[in-house]
Every structure is written in C-alpha cells, then in structure tokens.
Amino acid sequence: MRTKLVELSDAVKIISDGDEVVMSAGFTDSPMAMLREIARSDLKDLKVVGVVGGSINLDFLVGTGQAAVLDCCSIGFEPFQREAPNFDRYLKESRIYAMDNT
Amino acid sequence: MGVPYIPVRGLAGTDVFERRDDMIMAKNPFDTDEVTVVAVAQNPDVAILHARKADKDGNALLRRHGEDVMIAQASKRVIITAEEIVDRITPDEIGGEYISAINVTAVVHAPCGAHPTGVDGYYDMDLEHIDTYITASTDDASFRSYLERYVIGKTEAEYQRLVTARVLEPAR
C-alpha cells in the first residue's frame, strides 16, 4: 500500500477554492497546524463547517479572510467567557455569511 | 450514515427555512399528522482532523468523540494531522476513537499541531498565546501583524520554535 504520509505543504493541495471544509474540536485537538498551512496558501472563499460548534479553529480562518461562509451551531471562546473575536468582528461588519444551526 | 437526508426536531417553528435551502419542513410518512424538519445530508469536500497517533497507511487514533468518525466518513477527502506517526494503528487501539485508512486521504506528522489548543496526555492549551491571539484579533491590521509574526512566511517548524521557546523557558 502506498504511503499517505505527506508534508503540510502537500496536504493543503487537497483543498480547492470554494471547498466546504469541516472540522471538529475546540480548545482541545483543533487541527491548527493545517489551518496555519491554509493561511500560508492563497485558498479563498471556503465554506467552513464546525461539528459540533467551533472556537479558535473557525475563528482563525475567519481572521485570515479565507472563510466566506460559516456553518455551525455555535462559535465562541467559551473557556474565556467571551465571543470568538474575529468571527464577532467579521459578522458585525457583514463580511461573512453565517448559517446558524442552533 | 450514507443517507440522503434526515428528520430532526430542532429548529421547528423558526423562520430559518425562509432563508436557507438545506432544510425544509416535511410530513412524517408514517404519521402524516406529524411535521418535522428534514435536513439534507452534508458531504463536505474536505475534513481536517488532528489525531494523537496515525500510521502511514492512514489509520488514526483520535480523541473519544463520535462525531470525528462521522465527519471522516461523510467527507470526500480527509486530512489527518497527528502528534505521532507509529507503525500500525488497529481498531483495537485503546485511548481514543479509531478512524480507518479507508476514510483517510492524507496523513501529516504535526507534533504540537493543535497549539495553541491542547491535546490530552500531550500538552495543555497555551493560555498566554491564546491571550496574544485575542488581543491581535481587535482589527485587520493587528491580526495581519500576528499572522506575519507567527505564520505567514514561516514554516510550521519555525512557528513551533517561536511559541515553544517561551513555554520551555524555566519559571523564575
């Protein structure tokens, strides 16, 4: 069986502009290294889905300007008792489209 | 799950259906007096999941959360980043949720790859860095500076050196 082991820079090529990208987790187990690699790429207009919910992971892709649509049941910085800062700012400025599944 | 849609009871009675086309109200075919929300299946293009361990074939051990397996199975392509690459992960593995190589497209060795969030048994979340992130998120210019300092134009190894230099510094 061929190995599926690749570098971050190869894995990011699996993603295309406009893709629906799903992730889980929050302040534990968030795939931040991959999200940083997305930030280093030119990817844009991603539809980002959080199952269940989201925190710094979804907020990061909003902050890099690469998320056009967010689809989740909630997003926040719950351990810090505050809103997700980039999401909150982008939403108030109507710079992202948020689909609320609460 | 492999189903085209699913009935759910949440959201009934709200006006979200006027604004989106992925959910509708529909009669229960077995009891037409009952109406529920019916949501179309989501099959995302890419799933990104961070694992504790993975092997080079794509088998992985994730935190114990059932939704992670469901996400992997529902998505067209799956990227797994992992704290450790080991010889072999089997369904009998203890300490987490098993994801089969069948569902995985690519595996990346990313030690400390969840930083600044934590991974049980590996490291805690980095409160100081999250604080830096929150402060940087005040406006576009400051978040751009944050990205330029830590992420853009830097490799992941360089990011890790930047953030762990402080973490590993002995307390005074």
Side-chain angles (χ1 to χ4, degrees):
Chain A
M1 195 173 174
R2 76 183 170 88
T3 178
K4 292 178 182 171
L5 191 60
V6 297
E7 298 296 323
L8 283 173
S9 53
D10 300 312
V12 78
K13 293 175 191 157
I14 291 171
I15 312 170
S16 306
D17 288 352
D19 267 1
E20 187 171 315
V21 176
V22 63
M23 67 191 95
S24 68
F27 280 100
T28 60
D29 302 83
S30 268
M32 299 305 293
M34 196 63 229
L35 304 187
R36 285 188 281 273
E37 193 64 24
I38 291 174
R40 293 176 194 114
S41 77
D42 296 327
L43 283 169
K44 60 179 191 303
D45 298 331
L46 300 176
K47 177 181 176 183
V48 183
V49 184
V51 177
V52 174
S55 63
I56 194 166
N57 48 3
L58 305 195
D59 189 77
F60 182 81
L61 286 186
V62 172
T64 65
Q66 290 164 296
V69 179
L70 232 68
D71 184 351
C72 63
C73 68
S74 72
I75 171 167
F77 275 35
E78 188 263 332
F80 306 92
Q81 291 157 16
R82 57 162 296 143
E83 74 288 355
N86 286 311
F87 169 77
D88 189 58
R89 190 158 58 81
Y90 272 65
L91 190 69
K92 283 173 179 164
E93 294 167 2
S94 299
R95 294 162 70 188
I96 48 162
Y97 188 81
M99 292 166 76
D100 178 4
N101 296 329
T102 310
Chain B
M1 291 165 117
V3 294
Y5 55 83
I6 195 163
V8 287
R9 292 194 194 274
L11 295 166
T14 72
D15 66 351
V16 294
F17 313 104
E18 292 165 24
R19 295 160 211 280
R20 44 196 292 183
D21 52 13
D22 56 349
M23 291 186 272
I24 54 167
M25 298 293 294
K27 280 181 182 166
N28 173 352
F30 296 100
D31 175 2
T32 50
D33 290 339
E34 186 182 40
V35 177
T36 70
V37 177
V38 174
V40 72
Q42 275 192 320
N43 296 107
D45 297 300
V46 185
I48 309 173
L49 299 166
H50 188 66
R52 279 91 205 269
K53 299 175 185 175
D55 64 32
K56 62 179 171 48
D57 294 334
N59 299 291
L61 187 73
L62 284 100
R63 65 184 184 144
R64 196 167 286 292
H65 274 245
E67 76 252 19
D68 289 344
V69 177
M70 211 159 62
I71 286 171
Q73 290 171 340
S75 301
K76 294 170 193 145
R77 302 181 291 279
V78 178
I79 300 171
I80 299 273
T81 58
E83 290 295 325
E84 297 178 66
I85 302 298
V86 298
D87 283 346
R88 188 93 187 121
I89 299 279
T90 71
D92 303 325
E93 211 75 37
I94 52 164
E97 203 76 50
Y98 170 76
I99 291 194
S100 164
I102 293 169
N103 298 119
V104 176
T105 316
V107 176
V108 180
H109 185 209
C112 247
H115 183 277
T117 76
V119 177
D120 272 354
Y122 289 85
Y123 46 90
D124 292 331
M125 63 175 155
D126 184 345
L127 294 173
E128 200 174 318
H129 191 86
I130 293 167
D131 199 47
T132 302
Y133 175 99
I134 291 170
T135 306
S137 304
T138 313
D139 58 51
D140 283 3
S142 62
F143 197 69
R144 187 48 50 182
S145 308
Y146 167 86
L147 290 174
E148 278 162 12
R149 177 175 156 86
Y150 289 103
V151 182
I152 292 172
K154 308 249 185 323
T155 64
E156 180 62 17
E158 284 168 337
Y159 170 88
Q160 292 295 343
R161 275 197 293 276
L162 276 172
V163 297
T164 51
R166 182 187 46 69
V167 173
L168 296 177
E169 213 168 89
R172 288 172 203 278

